[in-house]
């Protein structure tokens, strides 16, 4: 009898403890859902990928477009070389993504990046404003004219170079700085340069020893003609073309087969992403604990070493070699609906403190982008809306001089 009482009391205790946790999980997960459509973001994106994106990509491939090959994806094949990839295949019609504005396509420039190719020829005459970042800087998922680097160019009349690429992080930012920006600002010392290092909320990543080792040996990518034009070296072009053609499908049949394979994977969605599973498994609470642990080291010591701080330090060192080079650090917040992250303020503060320590101007995108406002983000995805990109461009423009 005594044992039964103990078991009963224990059961009642667990139940009494579990109910508040369950209620918390329900409320937090419920609040993360768009109130007017009640759709779980994961399944909304999944439906878009299967029903809309897949047919659009098939049509683009049949029209002669290739996928965008991201540096973070192709890097593993570059370890045997002396280069760190900057972008996708150069001078190539590429498709990007769709988050409500249709499948975005563009033609990559001579470096495999998303720029007006002629902007590279202007650098020796008028300098440049470089934007270094991930998919938000790249311009996912809007047409060229709506990316914030191009909006900034229209606002300022500056020669703008977009070094962004999807899935980039602090390691890629360091590679851009060492492999491209440093050779240019060191060579062309009579022109003004702005270098804007743009961080997104998920850039707080750990160290990867293979990447660190490779970053220590990479070679400069640009070469300079007698007329001052900036081009990728022939060796870099040959390397990136060889690697991508060897390891990825680049012919129509192969790309279509890969798309079909990816579609089949998407047709078996992860049930653990469902609303009911998340609530019953206390995922919102566990997610908060995971995020707090992930950012724990940033809470008490803002000078703590991190890949983000390393990138900011690299930016500072590079601009110190040219008195006409001005560094900036910018931050873009996440969407509470598409990519909730309760610990974002700690990371933003880490970036701000790290920038201030090096006397680098910090541009806080959360002053114009509201994580709770769905209008600042894409209709069917986590990237910024056209309005959101416009706000970021105007904010950065307000911090930089009108003349480059």
């Amino acid at each position: 009898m005594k044992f039964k009482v103990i078991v009963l009391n224990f059961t009642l205790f667990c139940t009494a403890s579990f109910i508040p946790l369950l209620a918390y999980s329900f409320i937090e997960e419920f609040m993360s859902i768009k109130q007017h459509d009640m759709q779980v973001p994961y399944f909304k994106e999944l439906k878009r990928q299967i029903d809309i994106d897949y047919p659009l990509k098939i049509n683009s491939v049949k029209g002669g477009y290739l996928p965008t090959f991201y540096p973070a994806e192709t890097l593993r094949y570059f370890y045997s070389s002396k280069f760190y990839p900057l972008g996708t295949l150069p001078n190539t019609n590429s498709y990007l993504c769709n988050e409500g504005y249709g499948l975005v396509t563009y033609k990559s420039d001579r470096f495999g990046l998303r720029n007006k190719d002629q902007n590279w020829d202007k650098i020796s005459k008028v300098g440049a404003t470089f934007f270094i970042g991930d998919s938000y800087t790249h311009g996912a998922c809007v047409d060229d004219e709506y990316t914030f680097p191009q909006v900034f160019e229209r606002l300022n009349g500056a020669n703008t170079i977009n070094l962004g690429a999807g899935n980039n992080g602090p390691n890629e930012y360091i590679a851009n700085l060492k492999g491209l920006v440093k050779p240019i600002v060191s060579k062309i010392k009579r022109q003004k340069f702005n270098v804007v290092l743009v961080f997104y909320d998920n850039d707080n990543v750990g160290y990867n020893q293979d990447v660190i080792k490779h970053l220590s040996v990479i070679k400069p990518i640009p070469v300079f003609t007698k007329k001052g034009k900036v081009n990728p070296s022939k060796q870099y072009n040959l390397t990136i073309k060889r690697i991508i053609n060897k390891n990825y499908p680049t012919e129509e049949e192969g790309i279509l087969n890969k798309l079909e394979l990816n579609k089949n994977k998407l047709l078996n969605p992860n049930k653990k992403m469902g609303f009911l599973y998340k609530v019953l498994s206390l995922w919102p609470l566990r997610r908060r604990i995971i995020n707090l642990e992930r950012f724990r080291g940033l809470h008490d010591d803002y000078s703590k070493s991190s890949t983000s701080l390393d990138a900011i330090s690299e930016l500072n060192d590079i601009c110190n070699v040219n008195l006409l080079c001005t560094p900036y650090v910018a931050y873009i917040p996440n969407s509470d609906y598409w990519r909730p992250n309760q610990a974002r303020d700690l990371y933003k503060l880490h970036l701000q403190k790290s920038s201030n320590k090096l006397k680098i101007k910090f541009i806080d995108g959360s002053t114009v982008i509201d994580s709770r406002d769905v209008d600042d983000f894409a209709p069917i995805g986590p990237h910024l809306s056209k309005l959101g990109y416009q706000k970021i461009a105007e904010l950065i423009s307000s911090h930089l001089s009108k003349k480059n």
Side-chain angles (χ1 to χ4, degrees):
M1 181 68 179
K2 185 176 181 180
F3 176 75
K4 289 183 179 180
V5 171
I6 292 174
V7 171
L8 179 61
N9 287 337
F10 180 75
T11 302
L12 291 173
F13 172 78
C14 291
T15 302
S17 301
F18 183 71
I19 289 176
L21 298 177
L22 193 67
Y24 169 84
S25 293
F26 176 83
I27 293 171
E28 180 149 319
E29 195 60 28
F30 179 80
M31 293 300 292
S32 73
I33 297 175
K34 258 186 184 176
Q35 294 302 305
H36 68 271
D37 62 19
M38 292 301 294
Q39 295 188 60
V40 176
Y42 172 81
F43 292 106
K44 190 172 183 179
E45 285 189 81
L46 189 67
K47 180 176 176 59
R48 184 207 75 215
Q49 291 169 356
I50 295 172
D51 296 344
I52 303 175
D53 295 4
Y54 179 69
L56 290 175
K57 289 179 179 179
I58 288 177
N59 289 336
S60 289
V61 173
K62 290 182 176 179
Y65 285 84
L66 297 184
T68 297
F69 301 98
Y70 298 113
E73 175 188 357
T74 61
L75 172 62
R76 54 183 168 157
Y77 301 113
F78 279 81
Y79 287 149
S80 60
S81 76
K82 296 294 184 182
F83 294 109
Y84 201 112
L86 288 179
T88 189
L89 286 169
N91 303 309
T92 300
N93 289 327
S94 306
Y95 66 78
L96 194 56
C97 54
N98 163 51
E99 289 186 356
Y101 299 118
L103 184 64
V104 171
T105 60
Y106 68 102
K107 184 174 181 179
S108 61
D109 64 20
R110 66 190 71 177
F111 284 92
L113 297 162
R114 194 178 184 186
N115 291 293
K116 300 172 186 175
D117 192 69
Q118 62 268 28
N119 284 11
W120 292 103
D121 297 333
K122 301 176 183 177
I123 291 178
S124 63
K125 298 178 181 178
V126 297
T129 294
F130 293 106
F131 287 100
I132 299 173
D134 61 6
S135 54
Y136 288 78
T137 303
H138 196 185
C141 300
V142 295
D143 290 327
D144 289 348
E145 63 187 291
Y146 299 107
T147 68
F148 77 77
Q150 286 213 21
V151 176
F152 173 88
E153 183 176 80
R154 290 197 300 273
L155 291 172
N156 274 36
N159 184 38
T160 302
I161 301 293
N162 184 347
L163 304 183
N167 297 328
N168 274 5
N171 291 316
E172 283 70 40
Y173 306 160
I174 293 171
N176 277 309
L177 288 163
K178 292 183 65 174
L180 184 65
V181 176
K182 183 177 181 179
I184 291 175
V185 301
S186 299
K187 176 76 173 180
I188 305 172
K189 293 188 175 182
R190 294 185 178 181
Q191 302 299 338
K192 292 182 179 180
F193 293 97
N194 294 316
V195 186
V196 187
L197 185 52
V198 185
F199 289 92
Y200 172 62
D201 200 62
N202 65 355
D203 278 335
N204 183 39
V205 297
Y207 286 99
N208 182 312
Q209 293 304 317
D210 290 333
V211 176
I212 293 173
K213 181 179 178 181
H214 191 59
L215 281 170
S216 69
V217 299
I218 60 173
K219 295 171 57 176
I221 290 174
V223 294
F224 305 89
T225 69
K226 292 181 179 179
K227 294 184 179 180
K229 293 183 178 180
V230 181
N231 294 318
S233 69
K234 290 183 180 180
Q235 188 179 359
Y236 174 77
N237 270 350
L238 288 173
T239 300
I240 192 169
K241 289 176 182 178
R242 173 179 57 79
I243 286 175
I244 290 178
N245 287 324
K246 179 181 178 181
N247 297 286
Y248 300 91
T250 54
E251 299 296 330
E252 181 178 313
E253 182 179 359
I255 299 172
L256 293 178
N257 288 338
K258 184 68 178 294
L259 286 174
E260 182 66 24
L261 181 63
N262 291 340
K263 179 187 176 184
N264 289 335
K265 291 180 180 179
L266 292 173
L267 288 172
N268 296 296
N270 185 355
K271 294 180 180 179
K272 292 184 177 181
M273 299 303 292
F275 180 84
L276 185 60
Y277 177 89
K278 285 185 175 182
V279 171
L280 294 177
S281 67
L282 304 181
W283 166 243
L285 178 63
R286 291 186 290 119
R287 178 178 59 203
R288 180 178 286 273
I289 293 172
I290 290 169
N291 280 333
L292 288 174
E293 175 62 24
R294 179 176 164 220
F295 286 80
R296 179 176 57 83
L298 305 180
H299 185 72
D300 299 319
D301 183 5
Y302 300 113
S303 64
K304 181 178 176 66
S305 179
S306 70
T307 53
S308 301
L309 177 55
D310 291 348
I312 296 172
S313 297
E314 187 71 32
L315 168 65
N316 183 66
D317 292 344
I318 286 172
C319 272
N320 278 341
V321 306
N322 186 337
L323 295 178
L324 297 180
C325 176
T326 306
Y328 298 87
V329 171
Y331 165 77
I332 295 177
N334 62 301
S335 163
D336 281 346
Y337 173 66
W338 294 104
R339 297 291 186 269
N341 176 15
Q342 297 87 350
R344 64 169 169 259
D345 289 340
L346 290 177
Y347 182 54
K348 182 184 76 172
L349 205 54
H350 174 65
L351 295 173
Q352 188 172 16
K353 292 284 187 177
S354 299
S355 303
N356 292 344
K357 183 179 179 181
L358 295 172
K359 298 181 180 179
I360 296 176
K361 180 69 176 180
F362 180 75
I363 303 173
D364 183 3
S366 65
T367 60
V368 296
I369 300 297
D370 186 347
S371 293
R372 298 164 298 178
D373 189 347
V374 295
D375 290 336
D376 283 342
F377 296 89
I380 324 175
H383 292 95
L384 295 178
S385 63
K386 294 176 181 178
L387 173 64
Y389 282 121
Q390 176 77 26
K391 289 181 176 181
I392 289 293
E394 291 174 349
L395 176 67
I396 294 176
S397 179
S398 69
H399 285 277
L400 275 64
S401 61
K402 293 298 180 180
K403 293 183 179 180
N404 191 33

